[in-house]
Amino acid sequence: MLNKQQIKQTLKLGWPISLQNILVTLLSMIDVVMVSHLGDAAIGAVGLGNRVMFVVMVIVLGLSWGVGILAAQYHGAGQTNKIRLNIIIGSIYGLMALLPIIILNFFYADSILSLGTEDQNVIHLGQTYLWITMPSMVFVAVIQVLENALRSINQVKLPLLFSVFSILLNVVLNYWLINGGLGIEPMGVTGAAIATTASRLFQMVLMLLILKHIKHQLSVKRSDFSLLNNKADWLKLLKLVAPMMFGFGIWSLGSFCYQLIYGRMGINELAVISMLLPVEGIIISVFFGIASACSILVGQHLGAKKLTEAWNVAKTFSLISPVIAIIIGALLLLAKDIILLPYQGASLQSLELASQVFVVIALLSWMKVINMTLALGVLRAGGDNRFCLMTDAIAMWVVALPLTFLAAFYWELAFVYVVIISYSEEFIKAFMFGVRVKNKRWMNNLT
């Protein structure tokens, strides 16, 4: 089990990452709240557009998480120059992956959105939102690669600081551009999209300039580019991140399919899930920091060939995370009316549905927390990406999505029961991930 020093180190690593992810999640929640006075169509457009962006962002997260895993092991092995090299390679891979997506988005955004709703107003608003925000994924890729590299060397407060500045700018720009003022006409959903893209560009530029100004050890140097000729480094990172990007993509695409099902059930259901996904995201964000800290510590121990220490960290995190998540879920349930208060601009039918679904999310989110801890915090820290990919594919695509589709359109169950059935994915994954962690086949040194 972890000793007091390790627990202190875990909290030191975990809380800034958790806080940063809570702020980012709150920002997406604020986007929905700030357009809620424009009606269910605006809520649905931003929610559905964010879900499309979420698919792409999670693929980018797979890339950056892979860079972070390798960087943590290089840090444990004392090879800082390799971390800088992988920042460059990871950023190039991100650009290569995103350019085709950004181009296709301009031609097919409306077609993608029409899968989730038949409301032409929602499709039109969502298309404009995606045209403006999708290019910002390039900035997000660089940001996330840098953030995960910094976290891998135990520097977690610096990314938080950059994120806070970006979020504050986004909120200010949101309020100004959505509602108008100072010579600017109200822009509604378009204003929210411009604010998001501008704040992400600001965050990327700020990070690069500050790291260079303070001569940070991870600030890329000219001499680092001379090492790009080594094909082995390109292949090593590609071998690690390719299955992670594919696996994260499979999972995020499945998550988008859930929203397509909900959207096809009606505009009220689409509005409800757009309102409540950020609430669930807050719960997940709290434990994303813990999973990140777990991954960093496990990766550093594996890189230093300290297998016993790596196992003790993995075992402790796997036991305490779900317990804390259940407690947080209960507290959220008690605060339900307060949390739903900002959405009073939505229709009464949407608010009634939201109240029912909120209870489900509060009671069952601990399942997602334990799976995130086991997969991201433990298994992927040892490079066990193929097993995670297989588990995600089976639980989501073979079992949960077909059942959710049947519940919505064949059995025609009430919306709250459709949402409950979607959680069948989490029960299957918890069993498969738990068995895998216990057998210790994930304990690999990647350096």
Side-chain angles (χ1 to χ4, degrees):
M1 301 296 284
L2 294 180
N3 56 39
K4 290 183 178 180
Q5 183 61 33
Q6 288 175 317
I7 292 174
K8 184 178 179 180
Q9 184 181 9
T10 299
L11 293 174
K12 187 177 179 180
L13 286 173
W15 78 260
I17 301 174
S18 292
L19 179 56
Q20 182 180 354
N21 281 277
I22 289 171
L23 290 174
V24 171
T25 303
L26 280 173
L27 185 60
S28 64
M29 187 175 180
I30 289 170
D31 283 346
V32 176
V33 170
M34 293 179 79
V35 299
S36 64
H37 66 283
L38 302 176
D40 284 349
I43 295 173
V46 174
L48 197 55
N50 275 332
R51 224 44 207 169
V52 176
M53 295 286 290
F54 177 76
V55 174
V56 181
M57 188 174 293
V58 170
I59 295 173
V60 172
L61 179 61
L63 166 68
S64 63
W65 197 278
V67 172
I69 288 170
L70 203 53
Q73 294 212 14
Y74 278 134
H75 181 65
Q79 301 179 41
T80 305
N81 62 317
K82 288 286 189 178
I83 301 178
R84 292 197 302 272
L85 177 61
N86 278 278
I87 289 173
I88 299 173
I89 296 174
S91 297
I92 294 173
Y93 278 151
L95 181 62
M96 292 169 60
L98 287 169
L99 277 179
I101 295 174
I102 292 170
I103 293 171
L104 290 172
N105 172 69
F106 282 103
F107 294 100
Y108 298 107
D110 58 339
S111 300
I112 294 171
L113 293 167
S114 66
L115 296 174
T117 180
E118 296 178 344
D119 190 300
Q120 290 303 309
N121 192 23
V122 172
I123 293 172
H124 174 71
L125 291 172
Q127 180 186 48
T128 303
Y129 185 83
L130 285 176
W131 280 350
I132 298 171
T133 56
M134 190 63 75
S136 72
M137 284 293 99
V138 174
F139 312 143
V140 172
V142 177
I143 291 167
Q144 289 192 353
V145 166
L146 284 170
E147 285 180 347
N148 277 279
L150 287 167
R151 291 166 182 167
S152 72
I153 63 171
N154 300 334
Q155 294 189 12
V156 290
K157 293 181 181 179
L158 201 55
L160 172 61
L161 186 62
F162 293 133
S163 186
V164 167
F165 281 121
S166 173
I167 289 169
L168 289 175
L169 176 64
N170 200 332
V171 170
V172 172
L173 289 177
N174 258 354
Y175 184 82
W176 178 32
L177 298 178
I178 290 172
N179 302 300
L182 300 178
I184 298 293
E185 293 294 323
M187 301 173 69
V189 171
T190 300
I194 294 173
T196 296
T197 299
S199 63
R200 286 171 176 168
L201 174 60
F202 168 80
Q203 184 178 359
M204 183 192 73
V205 173
L206 182 67
M207 289 183 73
L208 293 172
L209 290 178
I210 294 296
L211 290 178
K212 182 178 181 180
H213 179 72
I214 64 177
K215 298 180 180 180
H216 194 278
Q217 60 179 312
L218 295 190
S219 178
V220 175
K221 305 174 182 177
R222 289 186 180 180
S223 58
D224 295 326
F225 288 91
S226 64
L227 302 175
L228 291 176
N229 294 325
N230 189 348
K231 292 183 180 179
D233 289 312
W234 287 82
L235 291 174
K236 177 182 284 189
L237 183 60
L238 181 62
K239 186 178 179 181
L240 179 63
V241 303
M244 291 191 73
M245 293 175 72
F246 185 67
F248 279 38
I250 288 291
W251 176 81
S252 62
L253 185 59
S255 298
F256 180 58
C257 287
Y258 285 126
Q259 186 140 355
L260 295 182
I261 292 172
Y262 302 147
R264 281 288 177 173
M265 292 181 72
I267 192 170
N268 295 116
E269 286 81 358
L270 177 60
V272 167
I273 212 66
S274 298
M275 289 189 286
L276 294 185
L277 280 177
V279 175
E280 182 183 67
I282 291 173
I283 303 175
I284 302 300
S285 294
V286 172
F287 293 92
F288 185 83
I290 296 177
S292 298
C294 178
S295 178
I296 292 167
L297 292 175
V298 169
Q300 289 176 355
H301 288 318
L302 291 176
K305 300 180 181 180
K306 298 178 181 179
L307 301 185
T308 301
E309 289 85 347
W311 170 245
N312 285 337
V313 171
K315 184 168 57 176
T316 302
F317 277 96
S318 300
L319 293 174
I320 64 174
S321 291
V323 174
I324 300 174
I326 291 173
I327 296 173
I328 292 178
L331 293 174
L332 281 176
L333 195 59
L334 293 174
K336 181 184 68 171
D337 293 338
I338 298 174
I339 294 171
L340 293 179
L341 191 61
Y343 296 113
Q344 296 307 305
S347 66
L348 291 177
Q349 187 177 356
S350 293
L351 289 173
E352 184 178 346
L353 280 175
S355 180
Q356 297 172 8
V357 176
F358 185 95
V359 175
V360 176
I361 291 174
L363 292 178
L364 295 182
S365 288
W366 67 273
M367 293 297 302
K368 293 192 175 186
V369 167
I370 191 172
N371 289 327
M372 181 177 64
T373 304
L374 295 175
L376 294 181
V378 180
L379 297 178
R380 293 189 187 276
D384 198 7
N385 295 313
R386 291 182 181 178
F387 179 83
C388 293
L389 170 59
M390 179 190 70
T391 301
D392 282 334
I394 292 174
M396 176 177 280
W397 289 93
V398 177
V399 179
L401 271 172
L403 284 177
T404 305
F405 181 86
L406 289 172
F409 305 117
Y410 184 72
W411 300 324
E412 296 183 347
L413 299 181
F415 183 50
V416 65
Y417 296 115
V418 175
V419 174
I420 291 173
I421 287 174
S422 72
Y423 277 84
S424 59
E425 170 192 345
E426 306 303 329
F427 286 92
I428 295 170
K429 285 162 66 172
F431 174 76
M432 296 180 70
F433 286 149
V435 171
R436 187 69 169 186
V437 168
K438 188 176 180 181
N439 66 29
K440 300 182 182 180
R441 292 180 185 175
W442 51 272
M443 299 178 73
N444 304 304
N445 185 308
L446 304 175
T447 62

mmCIF file of all heavy atoms in Angstrom, residues 130-169:
data_model
loop_
_atom_site.group_PDB
_atom_site.id
_atom_site.type_symbol
_atom_site.label_atom_id
_atom_site.label_comp_id
_atom_site.label_asym_id
_atom_site.label_seq_id
_atom_site.Cartn_x
_atom_site.Cartn_y
_atom_site.Cartn_z
ATOM 1 N N LEU A 130 -19.253 24.191 -35.665
ATOM 2 C CA LEU A 130 -18.162 23.267 -35.999
ATOM 3 C C LEU A 130 -17.184 23.886 -36.992
ATOM 4 O O LEU A 130 -15.970 23.643 -36.904
ATOM 5 C CB LEU A 130 -18.727 21.964 -36.559
ATOM 6 C CG LEU A 130 -19.364 21.022 -35.531
ATOM 7 C CD1 LEU A 130 -19.976 19.813 -36.231
ATOM 8 C CD2 LEU A 130 -18.329 20.557 -34.508
ATOM 9 N N TRP A 131 -17.674 24.642 -37.957
ATOM 10 C CA TRP A 131 -16.775 25.277 -38.924
ATOM 11 C C TRP A 131 -15.748 26.174 -38.225
ATOM 12 O O TRP A 131 -14.590 26.232 -38.626
ATOM 13 C CB TRP A 131 -17.591 26.118 -39.916
ATOM 14 C CG TRP A 131 -18.234 25.313 -41.006
ATOM 15 C CD1 TRP A 131 -18.024 24.006 -41.301
ATOM 16 C CD2 TRP A 131 -19.195 25.795 -41.954
ATOM 17 N NE1 TRP A 131 -18.793 23.616 -42.371
ATOM 18 C CE2 TRP A 131 -19.526 24.693 -42.797
ATOM 19 C CE3 TRP A 131 -19.806 27.022 -42.173
ATOM 20 C CZ2 TRP A 131 -20.439 24.810 -43.843
ATOM 21 C CZ3 TRP A 131 -20.722 27.124 -43.230
ATOM 22 C CH2 TRP A 131 -21.033 26.029 -44.046
ATOM 23 N N ILE A 132 -16.190 26.843 -37.180
ATOM 24 C CA ILE A 132 -15.309 27.794 -36.492
ATOM 25 C C ILE A 132 -14.417 27.103 -35.470
ATOM 26 O O ILE A 132 -13.239 27.460 -35.322
ATOM 27 C CB ILE A 132 -16.147 28.899 -35.808
ATOM 28 C CG1 ILE A 132 -16.925 29.693 -36.866
ATOM 29 C CG2 ILE A 132 -15.261 29.835 -34.987
ATOM 30 C CD1 ILE A 132 -17.945 30.657 -36.289
ATOM 31 N N THR A 133 -14.949 26.112 -34.761
ATOM 32 C CA THR A 133 -14.191 25.512 -33.652
ATOM 33 C C THR A 133 -13.266 24.367 -34.054
ATOM 34 O O THR A 133 -12.249 24.139 -33.408
ATOM 35 C CB THR A 133 -15.154 24.993 -32.562
ATOM 36 O OG1 THR A 133 -16.089 24.075 -33.159
ATOM 37 C CG2 THR A 133 -15.890 26.136 -31.902
ATOM 38 N N MET A 134 -13.582 23.625 -35.114
ATOM 39 C CA MET A 134 -12.780 22.451 -35.452
ATOM 40 C C MET A 134 -11.307 22.768 -35.724
ATOM 41 O O MET A 134 -10.417 22.020 -35.293
ATOM 42 C CB MET A 134 -13.400 21.707 -36.638
ATOM 43 C CG MET A 134 -12.766 20.349 -36.908
ATOM 44 S SD MET A 134 -12.972 19.174 -35.534
ATOM 45 C CE MET A 134 -14.706 18.722 -35.730
ATOM 46 N N PRO A 135 -10.974 23.868 -36.434
ATOM 47 C CA PRO A 135 -9.546 24.185 -36.628
ATOM 48 C C PRO A 135 -8.776 24.375 -35.329
ATOM 49 O O PRO A 135 -7.554 24.192 -35.292
ATOM 50 C CB PRO A 135 -9.585 25.488 -37.447
ATOM 51 C CG PRO A 135 -10.886 25.423 -38.181
ATOM 52 C CD PRO A 135 -11.839 24.777 -37.211
ATOM 53 N N SER A 136 -9.461 24.731 -34.257
ATOM 54 C CA SER A 136 -8.774 24.945 -32.978
ATOM 55 C C SER A 136 -8.234 23.653 -32.399
ATOM 56 O O SER A 136 -7.445 23.678 -31.445
ATOM 57 C CB SER A 136 -9.727 25.611 -31.971
ATOM 58 O OG SER A 136 -10.727 24.702 -31.526
ATOM 59 N N MET A 137 -8.605 22.511 -32.963
ATOM 60 C CA MET A 137 -8.082 21.237 -32.489
ATOM 61 C C MET A 137 -6.576 21.119 -32.682
ATOM 62 O O MET A 137 -5.897 20.395 -31.953
ATOM 63 C CB MET A 137 -8.788 20.074 -33.197
ATOM 64 C CG MET A 137 -10.193 19.763 -32.712
ATOM 65 S SD MET A 137 -10.226 19.123 -31.018
ATOM 66 C CE MET A 137 -10.656 20.585 -30.130
ATOM 67 N N VAL A 138 -6.041 21.835 -33.674
ATOM 68 C CA VAL A 138 -4.580 21.860 -33.862
ATOM 69 C C VAL A 138 -3.916 22.489 -32.645
ATOM 70 O O VAL A 138 -2.903 21.995 -32.139
ATOM 71 C CB VAL A 138 -4.214 22.634 -35.142
ATOM 72 C CG1 VAL A 138 -2.691 22.800 -35.255
ATOM 73 C CG2 VAL A 138 -4.755 21.929 -36.375
ATOM 74 N N PHE A 139 -4.492 23.597 -32.156
ATOM 75 C CA PHE A 139 -3.951 24.247 -30.958
ATOM 76 C C PHE A 139 -4.073 23.322 -29.751
ATOM 77 O O PHE A 139 -3.168 23.215 -28.927
ATOM 78 C CB PHE A 139 -4.701 25.557 -30.684
ATOM 79 C CG PHE A 139 -4.875 26.443 -31.872
ATOM 80 C CD1 PHE A 139 -6.052 27.174 -32.054
ATOM 81 C CD2 PHE A 139 -3.881 26.546 -32.835
ATOM 82 C CE1 PHE A 139 -6.223 27.995 -33.153
ATOM 83 C CE2 PHE A 139 -4.049 27.368 -33.947
ATOM 84 C CZ PHE A 139 -5.224 28.083 -34.106
ATOM 85 N N VAL A 140 -5.226 22.624 -29.655
ATOM 86 C CA VAL A 140 -5.462 21.706 -28.541
ATOM 87 C C VAL A 140 -4.437 20.572 -28.543
ATOM 88 O O VAL A 140 -3.958 20.142 -27.482
ATOM 89 C CB VAL A 140 -6.896 21.131 -28.605
ATOM 90 C CG1 VAL A 140 -7.093 20.030 -27.564
ATOM 91 C CG2 VAL A 140 -7.917 22.234 -28.391
ATOM 92 N N ALA A 141 -4.070 20.074 -29.723
ATOM 93 C CA ALA A 141 -3.105 18.979 -29.817
ATOM 94 C C ALA A 141 -1.757 19.394 -29.230
ATOM 95 O O ALA A 141 -1.153 18.656 -28.425
ATOM 96 C CB ALA A 141 -2.935 18.543 -31.272
ATOM 97 N N VAL A 142 -1.265 20.565 -29.609
ATOM 98 C CA VAL A 142 0.008 21.061 -29.077
ATOM 99 C C VAL A 142 -0.093 21.281 -27.575
ATOM 100 O O VAL A 142 0.812 20.920 -26.811
ATOM 101 C CB VAL A 142 0.425 22.357 -29.791
ATOM 102 C CG1 VAL A 142 1.714 22.919 -29.181
ATOM 103 C CG2 VAL A 142 0.608 22.118 -31.287
ATOM 104 N N ILE A 143 -1.216 21.876 -27.138
ATOM 105 C CA ILE A 143 -1.427 22.141 -25.712
ATOM 106 C C ILE A 143 -1.391 20.846 -24.901
ATOM 107 O O ILE A 143 -0.701 20.741 -23.884
ATOM 108 C CB ILE A 143 -2.772 22.863 -25.490
ATOM 109 C CG1 ILE A 143 -2.714 24.285 -26.038
ATOM 110 C CG2 ILE A 143 -3.142 22.893 -24.000
ATOM 111 C CD1 ILE A 143 -4.073 24.963 -26.140
ATOM 112 N N GLN A 144 -2.131 19.834 -25.358
ATOM 113 C CA GLN A 144 -2.226 18.594 -24.590
ATOM 114 C C GLN A 144 -0.908 17.830 -24.575
ATOM 115 O O GLN A 144 -0.549 17.209 -23.561
ATOM 116 C CB GLN A 144 -3.346 17.727 -25.145
ATOM 117 C CG GLN A 144 -4.736 18.257 -24.858
ATOM 118 C CD GLN A 144 -5.824 17.248 -25.159
ATOM 119 O OE1 GLN A 144 -5.593 16.180 -25.695
ATOM 120 N NE2 GLN A 144 -7.053 17.597 -24.813
ATOM 121 N N VAL A 145 -0.173 17.850 -25.680
ATOM 122 C CA VAL A 145 1.143 17.194 -25.702
ATOM 123 C C VAL A 145 2.072 17.848 -24.681
ATOM 124 O O VAL A 145 2.754 17.165 -23.898
ATOM 125 C CB VAL A 145 1.755 17.253 -27.117
ATOM 126 C CG1 VAL A 145 3.248 16.904 -27.072
ATOM 127 C CG2 VAL A 145 1.035 16.288 -28.050
ATOM 128 N N LEU A 146 2.096 19.186 -24.666
ATOM 129 C CA LEU A 146 2.931 19.905 -23.706
ATOM 130 C C LEU A 146 2.481 19.646 -22.270
ATOM 131 O O LEU A 146 3.307 19.436 -21.368
ATOM 132 C CB LEU A 146 2.896 21.400 -23.999
ATOM 133 C CG LEU A 146 3.722 21.893 -25.197
ATOM 134 C CD1 LEU A 146 3.387 23.345 -25.511
ATOM 135 C CD2 LEU A 146 5.207 21.744 -24.918
ATOM 136 N N GLU A 147 1.156 19.668 -22.040
ATOM 137 C CA GLU A 147 0.636 19.453 -20.685
ATOM 138 C C GLU A 147 1.020 18.075 -20.155
ATOM 139 O O GLU A 147 1.458 17.941 -19.003
ATOM 140 C CB GLU A 147 -0.883 19.609 -20.680
ATOM 141 C CG GLU A 147 -1.350 21.052 -20.775
ATOM 142 C CD GLU A 147 -2.864 21.175 -20.771
ATOM 143 O OE1 GLU A 147 -3.562 20.155 -20.935
ATOM 144 O OE2 GLU A 147 -3.360 22.312 -20.586
ATOM 145 N N ASN A 148 0.847 17.048 -20.968
ATOM 146 C CA ASN A 148 1.164 15.701 -20.502
ATOM 147 C C ASN A 148 2.658 15.494 -20.304
ATOM 148 O O ASN A 148 3.072 14.750 -19.411
ATOM 149 C CB ASN A 148 0.603 14.667 -21.487
ATOM 150 C CG ASN A 148 -0.864 14.379 -21.249
ATOM 151 O OD1 ASN A 148 -1.234 13.601 -20.379
ATOM 152 N ND2 ASN A 148 -1.726 15.031 -22.015
ATOM 153 N N ALA A 149 3.473 16.154 -21.118
ATOM 154 C CA ALA A 149 4.921 16.081 -20.919
ATOM 155 C C ALA A 149 5.319 16.755 -19.609
ATOM 156 O O ALA A 149 6.145 16.227 -18.847
ATOM 157 C CB ALA A 149 5.640 16.736 -22.100
ATOM 158 N N LEU A 150 4.724 17.917 -19.323
ATOM 159 C CA LEU A 150 5.011 18.610 -18.069
ATOM 160 C C LEU A 150 4.574 17.785 -16.863
ATOM 161 O O LEU A 150 5.288 17.679 -15.852
ATOM 162 C CB LEU A 150 4.310 19.970 -18.047
ATOM 163 C CG LEU A 150 4.907 21.061 -18.954
ATOM 164 C CD1 LEU A 150 3.950 22.236 -19.092
ATOM 165 C CD2 LEU A 150 6.252 21.537 -18.401
ATOM 166 N N ARG A 151 3.397 17.181 -16.961
ATOM 167 C CA ARG A 151 2.918 16.350 -15.863
ATOM 168 C C ARG A 151 3.811 15.147 -15.623
ATOM 169 O O ARG A 151 3.974 14.687 -14.485
ATOM 170 C CB ARG A 151 1.484 15.886 -16.154
ATOM 171 C CG ARG A 151 0.447 16.992 -16.118
ATOM 172 C CD ARG A 151 -0.859 16.546 -16.735
ATOM 173 N NE ARG A 151 -1.861 17.609 -16.744
ATOM 174 C CZ ARG A 151 -2.983 17.567 -17.434
ATOM 175 N NH1 ARG A 151 -3.273 16.501 -18.178
ATOM 176 N NH2 ARG A 151 -3.834 18.574 -17.391
ATOM 177 N N SER A 152 4.405 14.630 -16.678
ATOM 178 C CA SER A 152 5.235 13.432 -16.560
ATOM 179 C C SER A 152 6.491 13.681 -15.732
ATOM 180 O O SER A 152 7.083 12.751 -15.200
ATOM 181 C CB SER A 152 5.636 12.932 -17.949
ATOM 182 O OG SER A 152 6.595 13.798 -18.551
ATOM 183 N N ILE A 153 6.898 14.955 -15.624
ATOM 184 C CA ILE A 153 8.059 15.285 -14.791
ATOM 185 C C ILE A 153 7.604 15.942 -13.479
ATOM 186 O O ILE A 153 8.347 16.687 -12.852
ATOM 187 C CB ILE A 153 9.053 16.186 -15.543
ATOM 188 C CG1 ILE A 153 8.424 17.532 -15.910
ATOM 189 C CG2 ILE A 153 9.578 15.493 -16.790
ATOM 190 C CD1 ILE A 153 9.419 18.543 -16.468
ATOM 191 N N ASN A 154 6.336 15.669 -13.122
ATOM 192 C CA ASN A 154 5.760 16.107 -11.838
ATOM 193 C C ASN A 154 5.465 17.599 -11.765
ATOM 194 O O ASN A 154 5.257 18.141 -10.679
ATOM 195 C CB ASN A 154 6.662 15.720 -10.657
ATOM 196 C CG ASN A 154 6.876 14.222 -10.569
ATOM 197 O OD1 ASN A 154 6.048 13.442 -11.029
ATOM 198 N ND2 ASN A 154 8.000 13.804 -10.009
ATOM 199 N N GLN A 155 5.409 18.288 -12.911
ATOM 200 C CA GLN A 155 5.073 19.711 -12.923
ATOM 201 C C GLN A 155 3.628 19.859 -13.394
ATOM 202 O O GLN A 155 3.357 19.903 -14.597
ATOM 203 C CB GLN A 155 6.047 20.480 -13.817
ATOM 204 C CG GLN A 155 7.466 20.482 -13.273
ATOM 205 C CD GLN A 155 8.391 21.417 -14.038
ATOM 206 O OE1 GLN A 155 7.950 22.232 -14.844
ATOM 207 N NE2 GLN A 155 9.681 21.301 -13.783
ATOM 208 N N VAL A 156 2.721 19.935 -12.432
ATOM 209 C CA VAL A 156 1.296 19.938 -12.747
ATOM 210 C C VAL A 156 0.636 21.304 -12.543
ATOM 211 O O VAL A 156 -0.459 21.548 -13.059
ATOM 212 C CB VAL A 156 0.549 18.884 -11.885
ATOM 213 C CG1 VAL A 156 0.924 17.489 -12.318
ATOM 214 C CG2 VAL A 156 0.855 19.089 -10.397
ATOM 215 N N LYS A 157 1.289 22.188 -11.823
ATOM 216 C CA LYS A 157 0.687 23.497 -11.553
ATOM 217 C C LYS A 157 0.833 24.446 -12.743
ATOM 218 O O LYS A 157 -0.022 25.298 -12.973
ATOM 219 C CB LYS A 157 1.306 24.125 -10.302
ATOM 220 C CG LYS A 157 0.974 23.377 -9.027
ATOM 221 C CD LYS A 157 1.577 24.044 -7.804
ATOM 222 C CE LYS A 157 1.242 23.265 -6.537
ATOM 223 N NZ LYS A 157 1.840 23.877 -5.322
ATOM 224 N N LEU A 158 1.915 24.288 -13.509
ATOM 225 C CA LEU A 158 2.141 25.157 -14.659
ATOM 226 C C LEU A 158 1.044 24.995 -15.715
ATOM 227 O O LEU A 158 0.488 25.997 -16.183
ATOM 228 C CB LEU A 158 3.523 24.881 -15.251
ATOM 229 C CG LEU A 158 4.159 25.981 -16.116
ATOM 230 C CD1 LEU A 158 4.218 27.303 -15.348
ATOM 231 C CD2 LEU A 158 5.559 25.559 -16.553
ATOM 232 N N PRO A 159 0.685 23.754 -16.113
ATOM 233 C CA PRO A 159 -0.439 23.606 -17.054
ATOM 234 C C PRO A 159 -1.749 24.180 -16.512
ATOM 235 O O PRO A 159 -2.545 24.735 -17.267
ATOM 236 C CB PRO A 159 -0.543 22.084 -17.237
ATOM 237 C CG PRO A 159 0.804 21.566 -16.919
ATOM 238 C CD PRO A 159 1.335 22.462 -15.838
ATOM 239 N N LEU A 160 -1.965 24.037 -15.203
ATOM 240 C CA LEU A 160 -3.173 24.587 -14.582
ATOM 241 C C LEU A 160 -3.213 26.099 -14.741
ATOM 242 O O LEU A 160 -4.260 26.677 -15.061
ATOM 243 C CB LEU A 160 -3.221 24.207 -13.104
ATOM 244 C CG LEU A 160 -4.325 24.865 -12.270
ATOM 245 C CD1 LEU A 160 -5.702 24.484 -12.796
ATOM 246 C CD2 LEU A 160 -4.179 24.469 -10.794
ATOM 247 N N LEU A 161 -2.088 26.746 -14.535
ATOM 248 C CA LEU A 161 -2.019 28.208 -14.632
ATOM 249 C C LEU A 161 -2.361 28.673 -16.050
ATOM 250 O O LEU A 161 -3.152 29.604 -16.236
ATOM 251 C CB LEU A 161 -0.619 28.689 -14.250
ATOM 252 C CG LEU A 161 -0.404 30.202 -14.149
ATOM 253 C CD1 LEU A 161 -1.292 30.803 -13.074
ATOM 254 C CD2 LEU A 161 1.063 30.516 -13.867
ATOM 255 N N PHE A 162 -1.774 28.004 -17.048
ATOM 256 C CA PHE A 162 -2.082 28.356 -18.442
ATOM 257 C C PHE A 162 -3.564 28.155 -18.737
ATOM 258 O O PHE A 162 -4.195 28.964 -19.423
ATOM 259 C CB PHE A 162 -1.246 27.496 -19.399
ATOM 260 C CG PHE A 162 0.227 27.768 -19.353
ATOM 261 C CD1 PHE A 162 1.140 26.726 -19.270
ATOM 262 C CD2 PHE A 162 0.709 29.059 -19.394
ATOM 263 C CE1 PHE A 162 2.503 26.961 -19.235
ATOM 264 C CE2 PHE A 162 2.080 29.313 -19.353
ATOM 265 C CZ PHE A 162 2.980 28.259 -19.271
ATOM 266 N N SER A 163 -4.121 27.077 -18.227
ATOM 267 C CA SER A 163 -5.518 26.753 -18.473
ATOM 268 C C SER A 163 -6.444 27.787 -17.846
ATOM 269 O O SER A 163 -7.456 28.165 -18.445
ATOM 270 C CB SER A 163 -5.839 25.356 -17.924
ATOM 271 O OG SER A 163 -7.135 24.961 -18.260
ATOM 272 N N VAL A 164 -6.120 28.255 -16.651
ATOM 273 C CA VAL A 164 -6.950 29.257 -15.967
ATOM 274 C C VAL A 164 -7.033 30.540 -16.789
ATOM 275 O O VAL A 164 -8.121 31.113 -16.979
ATOM 276 C CB VAL A 164 -6.392 29.560 -14.566
ATOM 277 C CG1 VAL A 164 -7.048 30.814 -13.979
ATOM 278 C CG2 VAL A 164 -6.623 28.381 -13.636
ATOM 279 N N PHE A 165 -5.894 31.008 -17.315
ATOM 280 C CA PHE A 165 -5.891 32.211 -18.140
ATOM 281 C C PHE A 165 -6.762 32.029 -19.382
ATOM 282 O O PHE A 165 -7.533 32.909 -19.764
ATOM 283 C CB PHE A 165 -4.461 32.564 -18.563
ATOM 284 C CG PHE A 165 -3.661 33.254 -17.492
ATOM 285 C CD1 PHE A 165 -2.485 32.701 -17.026
ATOM 286 C CD2 PHE A 165 -4.083 34.464 -16.948
ATOM 287 C CE1 PHE A 165 -1.743 33.318 -16.037
ATOM 288 C CE2 PHE A 165 -3.354 35.103 -15.960
ATOM 289 C CZ PHE A 165 -2.173 34.529 -15.501
ATOM 290 N N SER A 166 -6.643 30.853 -20.005
ATOM 291 C CA SER A 166 -7.415 30.574 -21.217
ATOM 292 C C SER A 166 -8.915 30.532 -20.934
ATOM 293 O O SER A 166 -9.729 31.078 -21.690
ATOM 294 C CB SER A 166 -6.966 29.242 -21.824
ATOM 295 O OG SER A 166 -7.790 28.864 -22.898
ATOM 296 N N ILE A 167 -9.286 29.899 -19.829
ATOM 297 C CA ILE A 167 -10.701 29.773 -19.479
ATOM 298 C C ILE A 167 -11.315 31.128 -19.137
ATOM 299 O O ILE A 167 -12.438 31.439 -19.548
ATOM 300 C CB ILE A 167 -10.858 28.786 -18.302
ATOM 301 C CG1 ILE A 167 -10.579 27.360 -18.788
ATOM 302 C CG2 ILE A 167 -12.254 28.867 -17.689
ATOM 303 C CD1 ILE A 167 -10.438 26.344 -17.684
ATOM 304 N N LEU A 168 -10.585 31.949 -18.399
ATOM 305 C CA LEU A 168 -11.085 33.287 -18.077
ATOM 306 C C LEU A 168 -11.319 34.092 -19.352
ATOM 307 O O LEU A 168 -12.350 34.777 -19.490
ATOM 308 C CB LEU A 168 -10.089 34.018 -17.166
ATOM 309 C CG LEU A 168 -9.996 33.502 -15.724
ATOM 310 C CD1 LEU A 168 -8.876 34.236 -14.978
ATOM 311 C CD2 LEU A 168 -11.318 33.690 -14.993
ATOM 312 N N LEU A 169 -10.380 33.994 -20.296
ATOM 313 C CA LEU A 169 -10.553 34.695 -21.564
ATOM 314 C C LEU A 169 -11.773 34.171 -22.314
ATOM 315 O O LEU A 169 -12.556 34.948 -22.879
ATOM 316 C CB LEU A 169 -9.295 34.530 -22.421
ATOM 317 C CG LEU A 169 -9.364 35.142 -23.826
ATOM 318 C CD1 LEU A 169 -9.522 36.657 -23.744
ATOM 319 C CD2 LEU A 169 -8.110 34.784 -24.635
#
